[in-house]
Amino acid sequence: MLRVTTLANGLRIVSENMPGIASAAVGVWVMAGARHERAEENGIAHFLEHMAFKGTKRRSALQIAEEIEDVGGYINAYTSRETTAYYARVLEADVPLALDVVADIVLNPAFDPHEIEVERHVILQEIGQALDTPDDVIFDWLQEASYPDQPLGRPILGPAERIAGYGAGDLRGFVGGHYGPGQMILAAAGAVDHDALVKLAEEQFGGLSPLVMPAPEPARFVCGERREVKGLEQAHFALALEGPAFRHRDVFTAQIFSSILGGGMSSRLFQKLREERGLCYTTFAQAGAHDDTGSITIYAGTGADEIAELAQLTIDEIRRTAEDVTEAELARARTQMKAGLLMGLESPSSRAERLARLLAIWDRVPTLEETVAKIDSVDLTELRTYAERTVIEARMAMALYGPVAKAPELGALRERLVA
């Protein structure tokens, strides 16, 4: 049973009991991520997430880990462009403990100077590792090319030179400006009792004062290109097509379109680029959405001499899909989406995250039946109309990394798409 409660100060609590499940996932999702940073504080939301595990006013870093692991659970966190999440998975009897620890790390981080220095070096190593992983960093560059000089285009990890300068005052300032009860969602799924959860939440979060947080800068998709020539083994190619935002009526259509393009081994890009031409080992397409924008991202890795052909064939498949996508492909993509959704809901952690995400988007949690109905409602005419509009508008950004000197310019690919 799914239930939602809002405390007097604005904190929303959403939970779903899953019969037959012995464990529970519980966490706090804060609607403050990299997008909510000013340019001079890029990377601080992620830095703050790291510091949550480095000790609180009540617990040391070791105690945080031990208290959860002593009961066989685990605790983790992540930062995205619009959200920072802190969550734990434990057995039913240990839900109060998990919530106490999660609330403690969110509300009472110690920001010990020594621990800040230790974690600063950890994050700098993380940035270095990302820069050494081409099929990782290229997506940051693609985001930057899509949204240049905007908060949404900046890297979540932040630049090393910024990370090197942050101190306790900067971290406290970000918390004070963004971690209000109205920006938090407490979500839980599995073996949870909603009334007990609300009571615990009132004890932990009820004393917080409401906070007015300014709206982030509106996103503006820009058809940009970033090309980094380097002597790597592979040429990495990433393309973004402008897509719909979370609440746009085309959001499911875009997901279906991306699935047909590159959602699996039967997808058009996989069949054309890998199976027929042998141009790459990995290729895929996926749709992503934000509060006011979105994109379909296509990726492939290939050789220096094959990059031009691969890029051109990718464009050809996008155009061809708009011209002759079939009912069978639509049916397969819809089934894949529904299966992925249902399989994900078997995990309390995935279900809790879904609850928080949907509540943040819609201020309610649409039923599973409602979501499935929206997926099923996308017909062939609607799909072709969306695909044709995507081709005609040719709103694209591109990132290239490695031996990419022979890759076509973005302008040439856009002309090929609309030809």
Side-chain angles (χ1 to χ4, degrees):
M1 180 178 179
L2 190 153
R3 295 178 62 188
V4 180
T5 299
T6 302
L7 300 186
N9 63 4
L11 178 80
R12 288 171 288 179
I13 304 155
V14 56
S15 74
E16 187 171 7
N17 184 270
M18 300 169 65
I21 300 294
S23 65
V26 57
V28 173
W29 277 257
V30 187
M31 304 305 112
R35 184 179 188 177
H36 301 91
E37 303 165 340
R38 300 188 304 273
E40 63 271 20
E41 58 184 12
N42 183 207
I44 201 165
H46 175 255
F47 202 138
L48 177 61
E49 173 227 312
H50 272 242
M51 289 306 302
F53 297 98
K54 301 304 288 184
T56 71
K57 297 172 183 177
R58 295 167 47 202
R59 294 175 171 93
S60 67
L62 180 59
Q63 287 172 326
I64 291 170
E66 286 182 339
E67 288 193 31
I68 294 296
E69 293 182 0
D70 281 352
V71 297
Y74 70 81
I75 188 168
N76 210 339
Y78 66 82
T79 306
S80 70
R81 288 189 162 83
E82 295 183 314
T83 306
T84 306
Y86 308 85
Y87 57 95
R89 176 88 177 268
V90 294
L91 296 178
E92 179 179 9
D94 301 308
V95 168
L97 169 66
L99 180 55
D100 185 64
V101 173
V102 169
D104 195 24
I105 66 176
V106 171
L107 301 177
N108 305 304
F111 297 141
D112 177 83
H114 171 72
E115 295 293 353
I116 289 175
E117 290 305 316
V118 170
E119 209 59 26
R120 189 192 318 279
H121 287 288
V122 171
I123 295 171
L124 290 173
Q125 293 300 318
E126 186 178 0
I127 293 171
Q129 179 176 307
L131 292 173
D132 284 343
T133 310
D135 54 355
D136 186 357
V137 72
I138 196 170
F139 293 107
D140 275 344
W141 293 349
L142 183 63
Q143 188 80 4
E144 181 184 19
S146 301
Y147 306 98
D149 301 316
Q150 302 172 55
L152 195 59
R154 298 181 192 125
I156 293 171
L157 299 184
E161 58 271 21
R162 293 287 185 195
I163 301 303
Y166 294 142
D170 302 298
L171 296 166
R172 291 193 183 96
F174 191 80
V175 170
H178 297 84
Y179 275 51
Q183 288 72 45
M184 294 181 184
I185 294 174
L186 171 59
V192 291
D193 178 276
H194 186 79
D195 292 329
L197 194 67
V198 171
K199 182 178 180 181
L200 292 169
E202 183 70 60
E203 295 172 358
Q204 297 284 357
F205 298 93
L208 293 179
S209 299
L211 173 68
V212 177
M213 194 172 79
E217 178 184 327
R220 306 176 311 281
F221 188 95
V222 177
C223 300
E225 175 183 336
R226 177 163 179 175
R227 182 184 301 241
E228 299 284 342
V229 178
K230 189 173 182 180
L232 304 176
E233 287 294 323
Q234 275 208 313
H236 298 268
F237 168 79
L239 191 73
L241 304 168
E242 185 177 17
F246 278 133
R247 287 176 285 272
H248 196 282
R249 63 182 300 273
D250 287 336
V251 68
F252 290 107
T253 310
Q255 291 177 29
I256 288 172
F257 182 56
S258 71
S259 180
I260 292 169
L261 274 177
M265 293 175 64
S266 63
S267 68
R268 291 195 173 206
L269 288 174
F270 192 95
Q271 286 296 311
K272 176 63 69 174
L273 301 181
R274 174 170 165 160
E275 297 298 282
E276 293 183 22
R277 299 299 184 95
L279 293 174
C280 62
Y281 175 74
T282 299
T283 184
F284 60 82
Q286 58 190 14
H290 299 291
D291 186 67
D292 57 352
T293 187
S295 62
I296 293 175
T297 301
I298 298 169
Y299 168 81
T302 190
D305 294 331
E306 290 79 25
I307 182 65
E309 182 183 4
L310 180 139
Q312 291 164 353
L313 285 174
T314 297
I315 295 299
D316 292 347
E317 285 305 308
I318 296 171
R319 187 180 66 247
R320 193 170 68 84
T321 302
E323 295 170 349
D324 62 8
V325 64
T326 67
E327 189 71 54
E329 289 176 306
L330 170 60
R332 183 186 305 119
R334 283 193 303 224
T335 300
Q336 288 174 334
M337 285 180 61
K338 290 184 290 186
L341 173 63
L342 293 170
M343 290 177 186
L345 293 180
E346 295 178 356
S347 160
S349 297
S350 297
R351 187 169 292 213
E353 181 172 11
R354 177 178 180 271
L355 295 176
R357 180 172 56 84
L358 292 178
L359 188 60
I361 295 169
W362 298 106
D363 201 28
R364 68 182 184 90
V365 180
T367 65
L368 182 60
E369 291 76 17
E370 183 179 347
T371 301
V372 169
K374 286 185 177 180
I375 295 171
D376 283 336
S377 71
V378 179
D379 60 26
L380 193 60
T381 299
E382 186 176 356
L383 177 59
R384 284 180 173 169
T385 299
Y386 174 83
E388 289 167 1
R389 186 171 66 248
T390 298
V391 168
I392 292 170
E393 294 177 352
R395 301 277 296 165
M396 302 190 304
M398 183 171 68
L400 298 158
Y401 188 33
V404 294
K406 297 180 180 180
E409 299 291 334
L410 179 64
L413 292 178
R414 293 181 69 193
E415 290 178 5
R416 187 182 184 96
L417 181 62
V418 300

